Amino acid sequence: MQVFDRALLRRRRRRAAAGLGDHDFLFTEVAARLRERLGEVQRSFSSVLEMGSRRPVIEDFSGKGGAMDRLVRSHFGGGDAAGSGAATPVTALEADEEALPFAPDSFDLVVSNMALHWVNDLPGCMIQVNRVLRPDGLFLAAMLGGETLKEMRAALMHGEMEVENGASPRVSPFADIRDIGNLLQRAGFALPTIDRDEITVSYRDMFHLMHELRGMGETNAVLARRKTTLRRDTLMAAARYYSDNFTAGDGPGDGEGDGRITATFNVLYITAWAPHPDQPQPLKPGSATTRLADALGVTERK
Amino acid sequence: MTDETGKPRKKTEAGSIDLKLLEILVCPVTRGPLEYDAAAGELISRKAGLAYPIRNGIPIMLEDEARAIED
């Protein structure tokens, strides 16, 4: 299903690339959190694909237990100037997460920082990631999901209802943990786990937040969006609603609020493995050799 | 790749590619093999009839950016 205008997304990212350094807080923060998760994995990786990361999780070739053989960075619009000034040349290419140009079994780690929430065909993308991974390879990804930008969604809807008596999709639809878990399983991944992190950021006002999103190249690219820009009075009404309802520091014990608004970002973290016979498997039903009643020390009653 | 005089042609930085990457690259449309045309700085997928450009050493593996070729 086509939800997102990928060509538009690519243009926006390219436009944002030069000034991304001023707006990369979220990308950098989540990259660090992914790095932490990777550090907990008792494994070294030799062939790595960093897929669609605007800020890299893997900064160089120095992996645990020896250097990597191969580190490939794929981007879709506005790459992070890969190779420029880096001591080790990193192999970069432009690729679509929906049509990966890699042979099967090419990598033992695919890591992706905040790219998957713009993918139309998430099941297809996951199947492809599974295919380019070697058996027992790791897929580690972070993407926006759930209640991300719920405040702005509410404010824009309110503004449009108030001024124009109608509303249109202004904020991307996001997947939630359950959806992603199902997709991973259907894509054939083993041992998938997903967890969620909430990052709340404060901004001066809604316009400041919108400026930031534009700087990140993350503004609305929903196909069904209205092609006209938001009317000024609609925007003003939305901004007013935002400031009235979602202000930082006005909870009890927070002292006097500074009038800044808050924006919620839900980050979903995916950990999943390409299947391998040595991984823990569920036993076949009926294959038990001990009775549950014995293990529990109770008498079995029929 | 040689030119008419038989001497190795000097590869331009813009169209050259990391050979380690070439080992694992396939056509994103057909998943078939790619041929590296160093002179043109392109990766060619015969099956898809497409030539993917290499810009500043970066292969652009996107169908929208590829050049249609005739056989």
Side-chain angles (χ1 to χ4, degrees):
Chain A
M1 196 172 71
Q2 299 293 307
V3 177
F4 303 116
D5 184 338
R6 296 276 296 174
L8 176 69
L9 175 71
R10 186 160 168 253
R11 284 200 300 278
R12 288 211 171 127
R13 284 182 174 171
R14 289 166 75 108
R15 216 173 297 147
L20 188 61
D22 295 332
H23 303 283
D24 64 352
F25 158 74
L26 205 56
F27 297 144
T28 310
E29 174 64 28
V30 175
R33 295 187 185 193
L34 281 170
R35 224 171 285 133
E36 223 167 85
R37 276 152 205 268
L38 196 57
E40 288 163 11
V41 177
Q42 304 299 316
R43 180 76 62 89
S44 63
F45 299 100
S46 65
S47 182
V48 178
L49 168 64
E50 174 117 27
M51 183 177 77
S53 301
R54 315 286 301 285
R55 286 291 180 257
V57 177
I58 313 290
E59 288 166 311
D60 54 39
F61 285 80
S62 56
K64 263 192 305 201
M68 298 165 191
D69 282 341
R70 183 189 282 126
L71 173 56
V72 178
R73 284 199 191 133
S74 78
H75 61 263
F76 183 74
D80 53 11
S84 66
T88 342
V90 174
T91 305
L93 77 162
E94 197 155 0
D96 191 334
E97 292 91 9
E98 297 179 9
L100 291 178
F102 306 107
D105 300 341
S106 291
F107 304 102
D108 53 12
L109 171 65
V110 174
V111 59
S112 176
N113 179 18
M114 302 276 270
L116 294 179
H117 54 273
W118 287 118
V119 168
N120 283 309
D121 181 13
L122 210 45
C125 170
M126 286 175 176
I127 288 167
Q128 291 184 50
V129 170
N130 195 354
R131 184 166 43 217
V132 302
L133 276 172
R134 296 171 190 157
D136 213 22
L138 173 64
F139 179 36
L140 177 69
M143 65 188 284
L144 289 174
E147 302 270 78
T148 293
L149 293 175
K150 61 181 177 192
E151 303 90 348
M152 193 161 85
R153 192 189 303 266
L156 289 174
M157 188 168 284
H158 185 88
E160 282 193 306
M161 290 302 286
E162 187 183 306
V163 177
E164 303 174 50
N165 286 316
S168 66
R170 294 289 184 185
V171 178
S172 286
F174 290 109
D176 213 337
I177 287 188
R178 215 176 321 145
D179 311 329
I180 304 294
N182 286 338
L183 291 182
L184 286 166
Q185 229 143 24
R186 268 164 44 197
F189 277 103
L191 315 167
T193 57
I194 303 127
D195 60 280
R196 181 164 53 185
D197 220 355
E198 191 169 284
I199 300 179
T200 308
V201 190
S202 78
Y203 296 93
R204 198 167 56 228
D205 52 31
M206 194 185 79
F207 299 104
H208 196 206
L209 166 60
M210 290 172 101
H211 175 72
E212 174 92 336
L213 291 172
R214 202 168 303 122
M216 292 164 75
E218 292 280 318
T219 38
N220 191 7
V222 175
L223 272 172
R225 75 194 183 283
R226 272 203 298 188
K227 302 296 191 283
T228 52
T229 46
L230 277 159
R231 280 169 51 177
R232 194 181 156 71
D233 44 352
T234 304
L235 266 178
M236 296 308 286
R240 217 166 29 240
Y241 183 87
Y242 205 134
S243 296
D244 287 349
N245 291 280
F246 310 107
T247 308
D250 54 10
D254 281 341
E256 289 205 7
D258 55 4
R260 289 170 72 85
I261 60 155
T262 57
T264 302
F265 294 92
N266 273 174
V267 183
L268 305 184
Y269 296 89
I270 294 170
T271 313
W273 299 84
H276 186 274
D278 288 350
Q279 286 161 349
Q281 309 282 336
L283 295 171
K284 280 204 187 74
S287 63
T289 52
T290 343
R291 287 172 359 128
L292 180 64
D294 292 344
L296 295 174
V298 295
T299 326
E300 190 173 307
R301 274 190 254 164
K302 298 264 157 95
Chain B
M1 190 64 56
T2 55
D3 60 19
E4 290 83 352
T5 62
K7 277 186 290 189
R9 184 181 294 209
K10 216 174 161 186
K11 275 180 205 159
T12 53
E13 179 61 32
S16 68
I17 182 178
D18 182 340
L19 292 175
K20 233 174 187 169
L21 177 63
L22 198 55
E23 285 169 15
I24 55 167
L25 273 189
V26 297
C27 171
V29 179
T30 63
R31 299 214 178 82
L34 293 165
E35 288 167 35
Y36 173 38
D37 183 342
E42 287 179 330
L43 290 164
I44 292 158
S45 170
R46 298 266 166 229
K47 220 157 118 196
L50 292 171
Y52 299 93
I54 300 171
R55 296 187 193 129
N56 300 317
I58 296 176
I60 314 293
M61 304 308 293
L62 303 172
E63 190 180 356
D64 290 353
E65 297 280 325
R67 183 174 65 83
I69 50 169
E70 305 113 53
D71 270 310

